[in-house]
Amino acid sequence: MIYPIVAYGDPVLREKCKPVENSEELQAIIENMWETMQAAHGVGLAAPQIGKAIRVFVVDTSGFVEEGEQDPEGLGDFRQVFINAQIEDSSEEEFAFNEGCLSIPEVRGDVDRPEEITIRYRDAEWNEHVETFNGLKGRVIQHEYDHIEGKLFTDYLSPLRKNMLKKRLGNISAGKINVGYRMRFPKAKR
Ligand code: NI
């Protein structure tokens, strides 16, 4: 099942998400999140983006790799669900990357984030992992992790840039945008 993706301005995107217990319902939600992310051609999707304030996100970095391109980071086959994740460590060194978000279509911005993070999480089989990620994998994981903490990439932009985006963000909340996937708009007139 493909869920509508919650747009900027919905309060669920600002919630600090709660840990979950394993259940058939949770496994079904995860399956549907994969389907929803793929339909929107995303590289990541977090549960609040489908209206659920739980600590779950999925990452699939294959979209970064064109066919026949070299893939030194192994992005082409990286696909992982992160359940009840906690970032345990992050590097001092940061790098900037131009980010976007399925909840904030057609808005992009450069965000500085740690180059490397260590994260504790459970996979779909409920095995616990503590792993270190860097580069673009670490980047997407940190963006999605922010979602389960109630943060958005636009929070990191300068006040000037935020001011410039104000009208566009208002239009997104109101549903006044053309987007190639199903969305739910908090301020759309019915
Ligand atoms: Ni996002």
Side-chain angles (χ1 to χ4, degrees), residues 13 44-46 49 99-104 113 140 143-144 146-147 151-153:
L13 295 177
L45 181 74
Q49 295 183 279
E99 295 190 17
C101 180
L102 293 175
S103 292
I104 319 173
R113 293 190 192 271
V140 178
H143 175 112
E144 300 310 326
D146 266 0
H147 275 300
K151 287 187 232 160
L152 299 170
F153 84 90

PDB file of all heavy atoms in Angstrom, residues 13 44-46 49 99-104 113 140 143-144 146-147 151-153, ligand 1:
ATOM      1  N   LEU A  13       5.386  16.066  11.763  1.00  0.00           N
ATOM      2  CA  LEU A  13       6.799  16.171  11.354  1.00  0.00           C
ATOM      3  C   LEU A  13       7.652  16.826  12.434  1.00  0.00           C
ATOM      4  O   LEU A  13       8.878  16.859  12.327  1.00  0.00           O
ATOM      5  CB  LEU A  13       6.924  16.971  10.050  1.00  0.00           C
ATOM      6  CG  LEU A  13       6.299  16.347   8.808  1.00  0.00           C
ATOM      7  CD1 LEU A  13       6.427  17.284   7.610  1.00  0.00           C
ATOM      8  CD2 LEU A  13       6.921  14.993   8.481  1.00  0.00           C
ATOM      9  N   GLY A  44      15.224   7.903   0.999  1.00  0.00           N
ATOM     10  CA  GLY A  44      14.924   7.641   2.400  1.00  0.00           C
ATOM     11  C   GLY A  44      13.509   8.093   2.722  1.00  0.00           C
ATOM     12  O   GLY A  44      12.961   8.965   2.035  1.00  0.00           O
ATOM     13  N   LEU A  45      12.914   7.461   3.757  1.00  0.00           N
ATOM     14  CA  LEU A  45      11.575   7.856   4.196  1.00  0.00           C
ATOM     15  C   LEU A  45      11.447   7.501   5.674  1.00  0.00           C
ATOM     16  O   LEU A  45      11.808   6.393   6.087  1.00  0.00           O
ATOM     17  CB  LEU A  45      10.501   7.108   3.389  1.00  0.00           C
ATOM     18  CG  LEU A  45       9.049   7.444   3.731  1.00  0.00           C
ATOM     19  CD1 LEU A  45       8.657   8.828   3.184  1.00  0.00           C
ATOM     20  CD2 LEU A  45       8.089   6.390   3.166  1.00  0.00           C
ATOM     21  N   ALA A  46      10.938   8.446   6.466  1.00  0.00           N
ATOM     22  CA  ALA A  46      10.787   8.216   7.903  1.00  0.00           C
ATOM     23  C   ALA A  46       9.298   8.148   8.249  1.00  0.00           C
ATOM     24  O   ALA A  46       8.463   8.773   7.594  1.00  0.00           O
ATOM     25  CB  ALA A  46      11.460   9.341   8.682  1.00  0.00           C
ATOM     26  N   GLN A  49       6.725  10.902   8.161  1.00  0.00           N
ATOM     27  CA  GLN A  49       6.331  11.353   6.819  1.00  0.00           C
ATOM     28  C   GLN A  49       5.127  10.600   6.275  1.00  0.00           C
ATOM     29  O   GLN A  49       4.552  10.999   5.255  1.00  0.00           O
ATOM     30  CB  GLN A  49       7.503  11.198   5.843  1.00  0.00           C
ATOM     31  CG  GLN A  49       8.679  12.106   6.179  1.00  0.00           C
ATOM     32  CD  GLN A  49       9.779  11.959   5.152  1.00  0.00           C
ATOM     33  OE1 GLN A  49      10.562  11.024   5.231  1.00  0.00           O
ATOM     34  NE2 GLN A  49       9.830  12.846   4.181  1.00  0.00           N
ATOM     35  N   GLU A  99      20.667  19.030   0.172  1.00  0.00           N
ATOM     36  CA  GLU A  99      19.614  18.081   0.546  1.00  0.00           C
ATOM     37  C   GLU A  99      18.241  18.501   0.039  1.00  0.00           C
ATOM     38  O   GLU A  99      17.975  19.680  -0.192  1.00  0.00           O
ATOM     39  CB  GLU A  99      19.555  17.945   2.084  1.00  0.00           C
ATOM     40  CG  GLU A  99      20.817  17.331   2.656  1.00  0.00           C
ATOM     41  CD  GLU A  99      20.666  16.978   4.131  1.00  0.00           C
ATOM     42  OE1 GLU A  99      19.539  16.897   4.654  1.00  0.00           O
ATOM     43  OE2 GLU A  99      21.725  16.773   4.768  1.00  0.00           O
ATOM     44  N   GLY A 100      17.393  17.504  -0.082  1.00  0.00           N
ATOM     45  CA  GLY A 100      15.983  17.717  -0.373  1.00  0.00           C
ATOM     46  C   GLY A 100      15.190  16.785   0.513  1.00  0.00           C
ATOM     47  O   GLY A 100      15.770  16.024   1.287  1.00  0.00           O
ATOM     48  N   CYS A 101      13.851  16.828   0.415  1.00  0.00           N
ATOM     49  CA  CYS A 101      13.017  15.996   1.286  1.00  0.00           C
ATOM     50  C   CYS A 101      11.674  15.763   0.607  1.00  0.00           C
ATOM     51  O   CYS A 101      11.098  16.703   0.062  1.00  0.00           O
ATOM     52  CB  CYS A 101      12.816  16.715   2.625  1.00  0.00           C
ATOM     53  SG  CYS A 101      11.805  15.792   3.793  1.00  0.00           S
ATOM     54  N   LEU A 102      11.183  14.521   0.663  1.00  0.00           N
ATOM     55  CA  LEU A 102       9.904  14.210   0.012  1.00  0.00           C
ATOM     56  C   LEU A 102       8.747  15.005   0.614  1.00  0.00           C
ATOM     57  O   LEU A 102       7.741  15.221  -0.049  1.00  0.00           O
ATOM     58  CB  LEU A 102       9.603  12.705   0.117  1.00  0.00           C
ATOM     59  CG  LEU A 102      10.538  11.765  -0.666  1.00  0.00           C
ATOM     60  CD1 LEU A 102      10.193  10.305  -0.370  1.00  0.00           C
ATOM     61  CD2 LEU A 102      10.458  12.033  -2.171  1.00  0.00           C
ATOM     62  N   SER A 103       8.887  15.465   1.860  1.00  0.00           N
ATOM     63  CA  SER A 103       7.826  16.263   2.498  1.00  0.00           C
ATOM     64  C   SER A 103       7.904  17.739   2.104  1.00  0.00           C
ATOM     65  O   SER A 103       6.995  18.509   2.413  1.00  0.00           O
ATOM     66  CB  SER A 103       7.916  16.149   4.022  1.00  0.00           C
ATOM     67  OG  SER A 103       7.598  14.838   4.435  1.00  0.00           O
ATOM     68  N   ILE A 104       9.014  18.119   1.459  1.00  0.00           N
ATOM     69  CA  ILE A 104       9.241  19.529   1.103  1.00  0.00           C
ATOM     70  C   ILE A 104       9.656  19.593  -0.371  1.00  0.00           C
ATOM     71  O   ILE A 104      10.792  19.950  -0.693  1.00  0.00           O
ATOM     72  CB  ILE A 104      10.332  20.162   2.012  1.00  0.00           C
ATOM     73  CG1 ILE A 104      10.168  19.718   3.470  1.00  0.00           C
ATOM     74  CG2 ILE A 104      10.296  21.692   1.920  1.00  0.00           C
ATOM     75  CD1 ILE A 104      11.303  20.171   4.400  1.00  0.00           C
ATOM     76  N   ARG A 113      26.762  18.522   7.899  1.00  0.00           N
ATOM     77  CA  ARG A 113      26.514  17.446   8.878  1.00  0.00           C
ATOM     78  C   ARG A 113      27.824  16.704   9.136  1.00  0.00           C
ATOM     79  O   ARG A 113      28.718  16.720   8.282  1.00  0.00           O
ATOM     80  CB  ARG A 113      25.503  16.429   8.337  1.00  0.00           C
ATOM     81  CG  ARG A 113      24.099  16.960   8.148  1.00  0.00           C
ATOM     82  CD  ARG A 113      23.168  15.784   7.858  1.00  0.00           C
ATOM     83  NE  ARG A 113      21.857  16.210   7.400  1.00  0.00           N
ATOM     84  CZ  ARG A 113      20.823  16.467   8.192  1.00  0.00           C
ATOM     85  NH1 ARG A 113      20.955  16.347   9.498  1.00  0.00           N
ATOM     86  NH2 ARG A 113      19.658  16.834   7.689  1.00  0.00           N
ATOM     87  N   VAL A 140      22.312  10.350   4.379  1.00  0.00           N
ATOM     88  CA  VAL A 140      20.867  10.038   4.307  1.00  0.00           C
ATOM     89  C   VAL A 140      20.374   9.556   5.673  1.00  0.00           C
ATOM     90  O   VAL A 140      19.286   9.938   6.127  1.00  0.00           O
ATOM     91  CB  VAL A 140      20.576   8.985   3.204  1.00  0.00           C
ATOM     92  CG1 VAL A 140      19.092   8.642   3.172  1.00  0.00           C
ATOM     93  CG2 VAL A 140      21.033   9.489   1.841  1.00  0.00           C
ATOM     94  N   HIS A 143      19.780  12.511   7.876  1.00  0.00           N
ATOM     95  CA  HIS A 143      18.575  13.256   7.469  1.00  0.00           C
ATOM     96  C   HIS A 143      17.319  12.541   7.984  1.00  0.00           C
ATOM     97  O   HIS A 143      16.424  13.164   8.546  1.00  0.00           O
ATOM     98  CB  HIS A 143      18.542  13.389   5.935  1.00  0.00           C
ATOM     99  CG  HIS A 143      17.306  14.021   5.385  1.00  0.00           C
ATOM    100  ND1 HIS A 143      17.305  15.267   4.788  1.00  0.00           N
ATOM    101  CD2 HIS A 143      16.013  13.594   5.354  1.00  0.00           C
ATOM    102  CE1 HIS A 143      16.067  15.565   4.418  1.00  0.00           C
ATOM    103  NE2 HIS A 143      15.266  14.568   4.748  1.00  0.00           N
ATOM    104  N   GLU A 144      17.287  11.203   7.804  1.00  0.00           N
ATOM    105  CA  GLU A 144      16.110  10.441   8.247  1.00  0.00           C
ATOM    106  C   GLU A 144      16.036  10.390   9.771  1.00  0.00           C
ATOM    107  O   GLU A 144      14.948  10.450  10.353  1.00  0.00           O
ATOM    108  CB  GLU A 144      16.135   9.017   7.661  1.00  0.00           C
ATOM    109  CG  GLU A 144      16.138   8.956   6.145  1.00  0.00           C
ATOM    110  CD  GLU A 144      15.076   9.804   5.487  1.00  0.00           C
ATOM    111  OE1 GLU A 144      13.967   9.944   6.042  1.00  0.00           O
ATOM    112  OE2 GLU A 144      15.348  10.362   4.405  1.00  0.00           O
ATOM    113  N   ASP A 146      16.984  12.679  11.782  1.00  0.00           N
ATOM    114  CA  ASP A 146      16.409  13.966  12.175  1.00  0.00           C
ATOM    115  C   ASP A 146      14.879  13.909  12.155  1.00  0.00           C
ATOM    116  O   ASP A 146      14.220  14.456  13.041  1.00  0.00           O
ATOM    117  CB  ASP A 146      16.876  15.079  11.222  1.00  0.00           C
ATOM    118  CG  ASP A 146      18.103  15.816  11.742  1.00  0.00           C
ATOM    119  OD1 ASP A 146      18.598  15.465  12.829  1.00  0.00           O
ATOM    120  OD2 ASP A 146      18.562  16.749  11.062  1.00  0.00           O
ATOM    121  N   HIS A 147      14.312  13.257  11.129  1.00  0.00           N
ATOM    122  CA  HIS A 147      12.847  13.157  11.041  1.00  0.00           C
ATOM    123  C   HIS A 147      12.256  12.514  12.299  1.00  0.00           C
ATOM    124  O   HIS A 147      11.238  12.986  12.806  1.00  0.00           O
ATOM    125  CB  HIS A 147      12.423  12.327   9.832  1.00  0.00           C
ATOM    126  CG  HIS A 147      12.323  13.100   8.548  1.00  0.00           C
ATOM    127  ND1 HIS A 147      11.477  14.168   8.370  1.00  0.00           N
ATOM    128  CD2 HIS A 147      12.970  12.950   7.366  1.00  0.00           C
ATOM    129  CE1 HIS A 147      11.603  14.635   7.137  1.00  0.00           C
ATOM    130  NE2 HIS A 147      12.508  13.923   6.495  1.00  0.00           N
ATOM    131  N   LYS A 151      12.981  16.933  13.463  1.00  0.00           N
ATOM    132  CA  LYS A 151      13.739  18.005  12.792  1.00  0.00           C
ATOM    133  C   LYS A 151      13.678  17.851  11.275  1.00  0.00           C
ATOM    134  O   LYS A 151      13.595  16.742  10.753  1.00  0.00           O
ATOM    135  CB  LYS A 151      15.209  17.953  13.223  1.00  0.00           C
ATOM    136  CG  LYS A 151      15.446  18.425  14.649  1.00  0.00           C
ATOM    137  CD  LYS A 151      16.941  18.505  14.930  1.00  0.00           C
ATOM    138  CE  LYS A 151      17.284  17.737  16.196  1.00  0.00           C
ATOM    139  NZ  LYS A 151      18.688  17.360  16.288  1.00  0.00           N
ATOM    140  N   LEU A 152      13.789  18.988  10.580  1.00  0.00           N
ATOM    141  CA  LEU A 152      13.786  18.998   9.118  1.00  0.00           C
ATOM    142  C   LEU A 152      15.040  19.698   8.616  1.00  0.00           C
ATOM    143  O   LEU A 152      15.605  20.545   9.320  1.00  0.00           O
ATOM    144  CB  LEU A 152      12.539  19.742   8.608  1.00  0.00           C
ATOM    145  CG  LEU A 152      11.201  19.118   9.030  1.00  0.00           C
ATOM    146  CD1 LEU A 152      10.057  20.059   8.697  1.00  0.00           C
ATOM    147  CD2 LEU A 152      10.994  17.765   8.356  1.00  0.00           C
ATOM    148  N   PHE A 153      15.459  19.379   7.381  1.00  0.00           N
ATOM    149  CA  PHE A 153      16.717  19.962   6.898  1.00  0.00           C
ATOM    150  C   PHE A 153      16.641  21.476   6.778  1.00  0.00           C
ATOM    151  O   PHE A 153      17.658  22.161   6.896  1.00  0.00           O
ATOM    152  CB  PHE A 153      17.176  19.305   5.578  1.00  0.00           C
ATOM    153  CG  PHE A 153      16.548  19.864   4.337  1.00  0.00           C
ATOM    154  CD1 PHE A 153      17.143  20.923   3.656  1.00  0.00           C
ATOM    155  CD2 PHE A 153      15.369  19.342   3.828  1.00  0.00           C
ATOM    156  CE1 PHE A 153      16.572  21.454   2.499  1.00  0.00           C
ATOM    157  CE2 PHE A 153      14.797  19.863   2.669  1.00  0.00           C
ATOM    158  CZ  PHE A 153      15.394  20.927   2.012  1.00  0.00           C
TER     159      PHE A 153
HETATM  160 NI    NI B   1      13.188  14.162   4.541  1.00  0.00          NI
END
